[in-house]
Amino acid sequence: MDIGYPEAEVIRVVLDNLNTHKLAFLYEAFEPAEARRIARKLELPYTPKHGSWLNMAEIELSVLQQQCLDRRIPDADTLKSEIAAWEHQRNAEQATIDWRFSVTDARKKLERLYPSLPA
């Protein structure tokens, strides 16, 4: 934080499934004053357990692993070339993720976040 983003007022750390990540971990790693200083700069925005964009990114990375990285790649240049070719093909096909978590499903699963309004 002090090296990479010394002038940042706030650093937003986007983590999937926020409820498993707490700033309290800082107090396990640092003295209280230092932990408090770091915690004041960090912001952990809420991401739902199901349906976040990170889930989609994880799915896409899984597809990359299965379709492109399922073998030994000898060096970084070959890796870059293979990933670029995979990406080009994926984009040319306009490939999408079969996202099955609909708004209706989200409203059921996350009912507490979608309050009902009186009729």
Side-chain angles (χ1 to χ4, degrees):
M1 178 174 93
D2 292 333
I3 295 169
Y5 307 99
E7 296 176 21
E9 292 179 28
V10 175
I11 298 172
R12 288 179 188 88
V13 182
V14 180
L15 304 164
D16 204 11
N17 196 3
L18 175 67
N19 64 354
T20 62
H21 305 286
K22 309 275 186 231
L23 289 176
F25 77 89
L26 293 170
Y27 291 88
E28 296 173 13
F30 300 102
E31 293 296 320
E34 179 67 0
R36 193 169 29 260
R37 182 186 76 81
I38 294 169
R40 285 187 180 135
K41 263 192 152 179
L42 294 179
E43 184 179 294
L44 306 177
Y46 175 77
T47 59
K49 182 176 179 181
H50 300 286
S52 78
W53 64 268
L54 285 173
N55 292 114
M56 290 185 269
E58 288 172 352
I59 291 168
E60 191 68 13
L61 288 172
S62 176
V63 172
L64 170 64
Q65 169 63 34
Q66 293 169 18
Q67 294 179 352
C68 181
L69 305 177
D70 58 346
R71 64 198 182 285
R72 186 167 179 83
I73 297 179
D75 55 58
D77 289 336
T78 304
L79 176 64
K80 289 175 188 174
S81 174
E82 291 289 320
I83 291 174
W86 175 85
E87 180 183 10
H88 178 76
Q89 180 181 351
R90 214 57 194 144
N91 290 337
E93 293 171 356
Q94 296 183 338
T96 60
I97 296 170
D98 185 12
W99 191 246
R100 296 175 187 205
F101 198 67
S102 68
V103 172
T104 303
D105 292 338
R107 290 188 188 280
K108 287 178 190 170
K109 187 81 170 177
L110 305 170
E111 187 175 359
R112 71 186 187 286
L113 300 176
Y114 294 93
S116 297
L117 300 176

